[in-house]
Amino acid sequence: MQRGRAGVAPFFDVLTAFDVSWTASAALNLLPENAGPRIEVSRGCVVVTAGGGADRRTVQRELGHRFRQAARAAGLWAYHSVNLVSGDDLFIPDPAVLRTLVGEG
């Protein structure tokens, strides 16, 4: 992977160039979808955490499967990971059980 300044992947350069408080909307519009680090916004600050290793992903898939079975039985939707916007904050919980299908009202 090509690296930008200080070893940061070039598409994350916007993290250092953005000089106002972050919002969920700004993060979703300016930052790329990725399978690497998790990027969330809390109280105007970007929070970047590692995407997790193979063990975490395995547990995440297993929990997601179990949550999905229970959610379906209750008429709910389960996701192993999903972007959730609350005001100006962006959270990416794993797993998540929601009342509506993602992308719908």
Side-chain angles (χ1 to χ4, degrees), residues 59-72 78 97:
V59 170
Q60 185 181 31
R61 276 192 305 274
E62 180 63 26
L63 280 174
H65 175 71
R66 291 176 186 228
F67 272 58
R68 198 166 10 268
Q69 289 176 318
R72 282 183 187 154
V97 177

Side-chain angles (χ1 to χ4, degrees), residues 64 67-68 77-82 93-98 100-103:
F67 272 58
R68 198 166 10 268
W77 298 91
Y79 300 91
H80 74 277
S81 182
V82 65
D94 56 3
V97 177
L98 306 175
T100 60
L101 179 65
V102 168

Side-chain angles (χ1 to χ4, degrees), residues 19-83:
D19 62 354
V20 296
S21 291
W22 280 88
T23 63
S25 178
L28 292 170
N29 289 328
L30 296 173
L31 299 172
E33 291 272 337
N34 73 82
R38 177 180 301 230
I39 302 171
E40 298 173 292
V41 176
S42 179
R43 297 182 180 174
C45 298
V46 171
V47 179
V48 181
T49 54
D55 289 343
R56 178 172 182 237
R57 288 190 303 269
T58 299
V59 170
Q60 185 181 31
R61 276 192 305 274
E62 180 63 26
L63 280 174
H65 175 71
R66 291 176 186 228
F67 272 58
R68 198 166 10 268
Q69 289 176 318
R72 282 183 187 154
L76 303 172
W77 298 91
Y79 300 91
H80 74 277
S81 182
V82 65
N83 292 338

